[in-house]
C-alpha cells in the first residue's frame, strides 16, 4: 500500500525521535498526535505480489518525559522485517500538549485512531500491537474496542498486574486519581514547580536506578527525555499521571477479556517486578477467542527491549512463530544494528 503524503506537522523536539515518515493524526477533540511510520523494506525482500506484511504499532509508557523514543530498539529491529508505526501519546513527545485534562479514555482514543490510521494507510490486514508499562492499559482498551483489527498484543512490563490488584473489579473506567492531589497540581505555580523538580537530571537518574535496578543506562534516552521535558506544555499530561488520573481501576479484568493472543514480557530487577496477577488465559473461556497467555521473564529491569534488545526480539519472534503468525517478510534474516554498550544514564521512570 502506498505511503500517504504526511500532513504538515512540525516536530517540536527539534531532532528526529525515530527514523521514518512523520504524520499528524487529528483526534476528534481537534488535538494532533504524532505518528512515525517506517515502511517495510520491500525492495529486494523477495516477496510475492500478493504478500501483505503485517504492520506493528508500538505504544510508549507514561512518565515525566515519555515519547515513542522509548521503543527505539524494537522499532529498528522490527522495521527490518515489516512496516512499523509508533505513536506519541497525547501530551507527550511530538504530539500536541494542550492544557486540558488527560484521561485514560483520551489515550485509548488516540491508540484506537492510530490502529485505524495504520489499517487505512499502511495495510488493511489485522496488525500486531506492542505497548510498554502504562501504555499497555491504553492499548488493551483500544484492542477491546476493535479486536478485528488486531492480530496479537504484546505487553511489556504492564501496569495493573500487581498481586494486590488480582481481585480488583473494573468499574466502567474509574481511575486511581486522588482528587485533592489533582486539584493541587492544577494550580499552575505548584504544578510547574513539581514538574521542574521531577525533570531535573539528578531526579531522572534516581528514578532510572529505581526502575532499571542498575546505574548504567543508554544516555540517548536521558538526552531525548530532557528535550521532551523542555517543550511548552510538557508538564500537563505528566502531572495528571502523578495524580493517578491515567491509571484504570480493575484493568486486570480488561486484560483477561482480551480476545487476541497475548504476550507478557517483563524483567526481574528494579521496582517494577510484581506481575503475579498476570492471567493464564485471556478471552472468553468458552469461545474460540480464548488463548493461553505467553509470558517471558528477562534478567533485566523494566525495559527489557532496551536493555536486552536482541534477546527480546528473539523471544518476540518466537511468540509470533508459536502462534503461526510470522509472514513471509518477517522470516527474512535480521540485519542487526550495532550493539549498544551502556555507559551513562537513561530515561525510564514512571510507568
Amino acid at each position: 500500500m502506498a505511503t500517504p503524503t504526511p500532513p504538515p506537522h512540525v516536530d517540536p523536539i527539534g531532532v528526529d525521535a525515530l527514523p521514518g515518515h512523520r504524520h499528524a493524526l487529528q483526534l476528534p477533540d481537534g488535538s494532533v498526535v504524532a505518528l512515525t511510520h517506517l515502511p517495510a523494506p520491500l525492495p529486494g525482500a523477495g516477496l510475492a505480489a500478493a504478500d501483505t506484511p503485517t504492520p506493528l504499532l508500538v505504544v510508549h509508557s507514561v512518565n515525566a518525559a515519555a515519547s515513542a523514543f522509548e521503543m527505539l530498539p524494537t522499532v529498528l529491529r522490527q522495521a527490518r522485517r515489516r512496516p512499523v508505526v509508533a505513536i506519541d501519546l497525547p501530551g507527550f513527545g511530538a504530539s500536541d500538549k494542550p492544557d486540558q485534562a488527560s484521561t485514560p479514555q483520551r489515550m485509548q482514543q488516540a491508540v484506537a485512531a492510530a490502529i485505524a490510521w495504520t489499517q487505512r494507510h499502511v495495510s488493511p490486514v489485522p496488525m500486531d500491537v506492542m505497548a510498554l508499562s502504562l501504555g499497555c492499559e491504553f492499548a488493551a482498551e483500544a484492542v477491546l474496542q476493535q479486536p478485528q483489527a488486531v492480530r496479537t498484543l504484546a505487553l511489556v512490563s504492564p501496569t495493573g498486574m500487581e498481586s494486590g490488584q488480582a481481585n480488583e473489579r473494573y468499574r466502567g473506567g474509574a481511575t486511581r486519581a486522588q482528587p485533592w492531589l489533582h486539584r493541587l497540581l492544577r494550580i499552575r505555580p505548584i504544578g510547574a514547580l513539581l514538574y521542574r523538580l521531577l525533570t531535573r537530571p539528578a531526579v531522572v537518574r534516581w528514578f532510572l536506578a529505581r526502575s532499571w535496578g542498575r546505574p548504567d543506562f543508554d544516555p540517548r534516552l536521558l538526552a531525548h527525555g530532557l528535550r521532551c521535558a523542555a517543550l511548552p506544555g510538557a508538564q500537563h499530561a505528566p502531572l495528571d499521571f502523578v495524580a493517578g488520573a491515567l491509571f484504570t481501576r480493575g484493568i486486570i479484568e480488561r486484560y483477561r477479556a482480551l480476545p487476541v493472543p497475548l504476550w507478557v514480557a517483563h524483567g526481574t530487577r528494579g521496582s517494577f517486578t510484581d506481575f503475579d496477577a498476570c492471567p493464564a488465559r485471556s478471552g472468553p473461556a468458552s469461545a474460540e477467542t480464548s488463548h493461553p497467555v505467553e509470558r517471558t521473564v528477562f534478567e533485566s529491569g523494566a525495559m527489557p527491549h532496551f536493555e536486552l534488545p536482541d534477546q527480546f526480539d528473539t523471544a518476540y519472534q518466537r511468540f509470533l512463530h508459536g502462534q503461526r503468525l510470522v509472514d513471509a517478510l518477517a522470516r527474512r534474516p535480521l540485519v542487526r544494528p550495532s550493539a549498544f554498550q551502556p555507559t551513562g544514564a537513561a530515561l525510564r521512570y514512571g510507568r
Side-chain angles (χ1 to χ4, degrees):
M1 184 171 294
T3 300
T5 301
H9 185 64
V10 177
D11 181 357
I13 300 173
V15 295
D16 288 345
L18 295 171
H21 303 298
R22 303 288 179 269
H23 302 275
L25 177 61
Q26 189 170 45
L27 301 181
D29 65 3
S31 64
V32 172
V33 295
L35 300 179
T36 302
H37 172 213
L38 289 79
L42 292 176
L47 296 180
D51 284 326
T52 303
T54 301
L56 171 67
L57 171 68
V58 297
V59 183
H60 62 80
S61 75
V62 173
N63 54 63
S67 75
F69 194 78
E70 295 177 344
M71 305 303 291
L72 177 67
T74 292
V75 167
L76 293 180
R77 284 161 175 77
Q78 289 294 313
R80 288 166 171 78
R81 302 184 177 102
R82 50 156 162 191
V84 178
V85 176
I87 181 174
D88 278 320
L89 290 170
F92 295 96
S95 293
D96 283 353
K97 301 169 181 63
D99 186 2
Q100 66 184 65
S102 292
T103 64
Q105 291 74 24
R106 188 161 180 257
M107 300 296 177
Q108 296 154 17
Q109 184 182 65
V111 177
I115 291 174
W117 184 93
T118 302
Q119 284 209 306
R120 188 165 60 249
H121 294 297
V122 180
S123 175
V125 303
M127 71 196 67
D128 298 322
V129 177
M130 179 184 293
L132 174 64
S133 198
L134 183 53
C136 296
E137 298 191 16
F138 313 143
E141 286 289 354
V143 171
L144 286 169
Q145 291 172 21
Q146 43 190 334
Q148 73 287 347
V150 177
R151 190 176 72 160
T152 68
L153 177 59
L155 305 177
V156 185
S157 300
T159 54
M161 289 191 184
E162 296 87 347
S163 55
Q165 298 182 33
N167 299 315
E168 194 172 52
R169 302 303 300 271
Y170 176 74
R171 297 185 296 172
T175 70
R176 301 187 183 283
Q178 301 292 320
W180 67 270
L181 182 57
H182 211 184
R183 290 192 298 269
L184 180 66
L185 296 181
R186 278 286 163 182
I187 301 173
R188 290 198 175 190
I190 296 176
L193 175 61
L194 176 61
Y195 189 70
R196 285 198 300 271
L197 292 174
L198 287 175
T199 54
R200 292 178 61 185
V203 176
V204 172
R205 290 187 179 96
W206 183 84
F207 277 110
L208 285 169
R210 180 173 174 266
S211 177
W212 285 56
R214 55 186 281 180
D216 53 331
F217 310 98
D218 187 328
R220 295 173 300 175
L221 280 168
L222 176 61
H224 188 82
L226 293 178
R227 283 197 295 272
C228 290
L231 297 173
Q235 75 275 16
H236 299 313
L239 289 176
D240 287 334
F241 160 73
V242 171
L246 292 177
F247 294 88
T248 298
R249 290 189 180 275
I251 191 66
I252 189 65
E253 288 197 338
R254 308 300 280 167
Y255 289 146
R256 292 179 185 133
L258 287 163
V260 300
L262 191 62
W263 184 54
V264 175
H266 63 84
T268 58
R269 292 197 319 268
S271 298
F272 308 118
T273 58
D274 181 2
F275 301 92
D276 289 349
C278 179
R281 298 188 68 88
S282 67
S286 59
E288 292 182 358
T289 51
S290 174
H291 302 277
V293 174
E294 185 165 330
R295 181 176 174 184
T296 305
V297 181
F298 295 89
E299 293 296 324
S300 72
M303 294 180 76
H305 65 294
F306 228 106
E307 190 172 347
L308 302 170
D310 291 339
Q311 291 183 33
F312 181 90
D313 185 73
T314 298
Y316 182 48
Q317 289 300 113
R318 187 180 303 120
F319 162 71
L320 295 177
H321 276 286
Q323 302 296 327
R324 302 182 183 277
L325 295 175
V326 177
D327 52 43
L329 183 61
R331 292 191 190 99
R332 294 194 312 129
L334 173 62
V335 179
R336 301 192 184 280
S338 58
F340 161 69
Q341 300 297 326
T343 57
L347 178 65
R348 173 61 183 88
Y349 58 108
R351 300 306 302 268

